[in-house]
Amino acid sequence: MSDNLYSLIRARITDPAKTFIETGDGRRFSYGDTFELAGRFANTLVALGVQPGDRVAVQVDKSAEALILYLGVVAAGAVYLPLNIGYTLTELEYFIGDAEPRVVVCRPSVATELAPLAKRLGVAHCETLGVQGDGSLMDKAKSAPTAFTPVPRGPNDLAAILYTSGTTGRSKGAMLSHRNLYSNAATLVDYWRFTANDVLLHALPIFHTHGLFVASNVILLAGASMIFLPKLDPDEMIRHLPRATSMMGVPTFYVRLLQHPALTKDLVKHVRLFVSGSAPLLADTHKEWEARTGHRILERYGMTETNMNTSNPYDGDRVAGTVGFPLPDVELRITDPETGKPLVQGEIGMIEVKGPNVFQGYWRMPEKTAAEFRADGFFITGDLGKIDERGYVHIVGRGKDLVISGGYNVYPKEVETEIDGLPGVIESAVIGVNHPDFGEGVTAVVVGGKDCKLDEAAVLKALDGRLAKFKLPKRVFFVDDLPRNTMGKVQKNLLREQYKDIYTR
Ligand code: MCA
Ligand code: AMP
């Protein structure tokens, strides 16, 4: 049997009339509709010359069709490459140039800007897909046949590439195989007890692991349904929650829903599971949520490179401030970050993982890939943690210089490089500071020279259009010097301490 994820999903679906997606505005896609449209997309892509292994880059607004396009790409044996809709043309130039997709699919509104760029970078076709089933790709798909035999794939063949920003330089494309995606989603279906009776309230973006693989693949493998909302809109979520059995979100989802007066125990009485991940969930949020709804949020831990690694238990104690136990099939150890030697239980060190969930390496970056694996196959996550006496994993910090804002990763180096390039700037340090809504707020501390005429607004204006908006500093401060240790390294911990109250006071 082929390992093509699409074939494995199809094999599990017994009732084609069952609803897969219901959109916020009431459109409904049964599993039968979904497979027909995925077949049309796959046939369309093949007609555009897409061969197994070719990349199909997609930067479109969230819609049922966009998710079904993912299935069509996978069915065709091609490699799905989703891109954050916030990325600017400058950022897209890098991703497209690096991944060399055969086809780029974008929003109708940006096609006139993106098509010439894609052409210059050697992309064969630039197509569009809108939120109402419009666009050139849909036009072609409408006249394509629905029947498509999924292209046979081996377990290690690629199904997707997701870019994660690099701590030191260029963004890296994490290569995920059919087995990576299938094995992790199948594990989560069992671990979190998903069945065909489930209805997931889905308000996450579908260009990252959380909304695409954790949420959507789990629902597909369970043959369950989703209420598919374009984004986090608390009023809309409150409207749909009474029909949901489950919800997945980043901590900001829970923080914002708690601010809604209509969130009550009664509203969520049909929900059996709330999952949080992508960033640390504050113990206070966990407690407040339990007090308001009667539910203990289940927190889990994952990465783009690994899918999900650990989860709090479905039955048993969901401990606030921990990310639970390693999932079945996932080996997890804590090591000395310098030597890589395993540490004893309770000591803080580097979290390393190994299992069928762990990716195939970084696209065209063999050295970077080699540097992040131990000789015995463990992947070095860059997260610092410990395992307590009951076996729960705690994430206590990051060994990598990374800010997580509202569940999106922002690599300080990327923002610092842009700021350092502005006229008159000597240097800068970008840090994450406690933020009541986003968890961490991207914050820039800038050393301007004598001739520097910039102020906060001017820095932000200069960065706008070069970096996606979620990467832009929420505040910019000017200082005479950055604190350094004796080795000359900027002491970001001191800056984080100095600015720790700026978003909360
Ligand atoms: C939007 N803005 C942000 C963010 N999102 N700023 C900082 N951090 C953010 N995350 C900015 C916009 O640019 C805009 O700026 C202003 O905030 C309002 O924009 P809006 O679109 O209204 O924002 P929102 O709808 O309120 O979005 C906030 C959000 C969203 C719901 C937290 O960012 C979100 O859905 N995050 C989830 C990300 C996610 O799925 N992560 C999983 C990665 P301006 O006003 O200047 O225009 S996968 C992962 O991490 C691993 C594998 C894992 O474990 O899951
Ligand atoms: P990404 O590169 O977007 O896949 O982000 C992965 C990173 O998010 C991990 O390496 C962790 O630093 C962080 N992360 C994910 N889930 C959690 C969690 N539950 N608690 C703390 N950090 C998390």
Side-chain angles (χ1 to χ4, degrees), residues 163-165 208-209 276-281 299-305 308 322-323 381-383 395 397-398 400 402 404 407-409 411:
Y163 276 85
T164 72
S165 312
H208 280 309
T209 296
S276 176
S278 308
L281 181 75
E299 186 170 6
R300 80 339 174 248
Y301 156 62
M303 283 180 81
T304 301
E305 288 91 332
M308 298 304 102
T322 82
V323 291
T381 63
D383 292 310
I395 299 178
R398 294 177 204 132
K400 49 195 173 192
L402 162 70
I404 304 185
Y408 286 144
N409 289 4
Y411 277 93

Side-chain angles (χ1 to χ4, degrees), residues 203-205 208-210 231-232 250 252-253 256 277-278 300-304 308 405-409 438 469-470 474:
L204 286 159
H208 280 309
T209 296
H210 198 161
K231 58 182 284 200
L232 167 57
V250 300
T252 304
F253 277 43
R256 291 200 190 164
S278 308
R300 80 339 174 248
Y301 156 62
M303 283 180 81
T304 301
M308 298 304 102
S405 168
Y408 286 144
N409 289 4
F438 292 122
K469 275 195 187 299
F470 69 86
K474 299 285 176 213

Side-chain angles (χ1 to χ4, degrees), residues 290-317:
E290 185 175 14
R292 274 285 278 289
T293 68
H295 283 275
R296 289 180 75 80
I297 298 170
L298 181 152
E299 186 170 6
R300 80 339 174 248
Y301 156 62
M303 283 180 81
T304 301
E305 288 91 332
T306 63
N307 291 290
M308 298 304 102
N309 294 312
T310 73
S311 170
N312 268 281
Y314 188 81
D315 295 319
D317 225 357

Side-chain angles (χ1 to χ4, degrees), residues 471-486:
K471 298 179 189 170
L472 298 185
K474 299 285 176 213
R475 290 299 314 270
V476 180
F477 297 96
F478 285 83
V479 294
D480 292 336
D481 295 296
L482 295 175
R484 289 180 188 280
N485 65 14
T486 47

Side-chain angles (χ1 to χ4, degrees), residues 350-411:
M350 179 62 71
I351 300 178
E352 299 185 5
V353 294
K354 186 177 176 181
N357 55 318
V358 176
F359 74 138
Q360 308 298 303
Y362 295 112
W363 172 254
R364 292 181 180 163
M365 290 185 176
E367 283 102 27
K368 287 215 157 104
T369 303
E372 301 205 16
F373 280 91
R374 301 282 180 207
D376 59 0
F378 274 81
F379 173 64
I380 306 163
T381 63
D383 292 310
L384 300 175
K386 66 170 186 181
I387 302 177
D388 70 19
E389 62 288 350
R390 295 167 69 197
Y392 286 81
V393 177
H394 299 234
I395 299 178
V396 297
R398 294 177 204 132
K400 49 195 173 192
D401 192 14
L402 162 70
V403 179
I404 304 185
S405 168
Y408 286 144
N409 289 4
V410 181
Y411 277 93

Side-chain angles (χ1 to χ4, degrees), residues 216-253:
S216 306
N217 282 349
V218 162
I219 292 306
L220 283 160
L221 287 183
S225 308
M226 316 199 250
I227 301 169
F228 215 51
L229 304 182
K231 58 182 284 200
L232 167 57
D233 173 341
D235 287 334
E236 274 294 280
M237 294 186 75
I238 292 287
R239 185 162 82 83
H240 290 287
L241 264 171
R243 287 195 304 119
T245 65
S246 49
M247 189 190 98
M248 296 183 193
V250 300
T252 304
F253 277 43

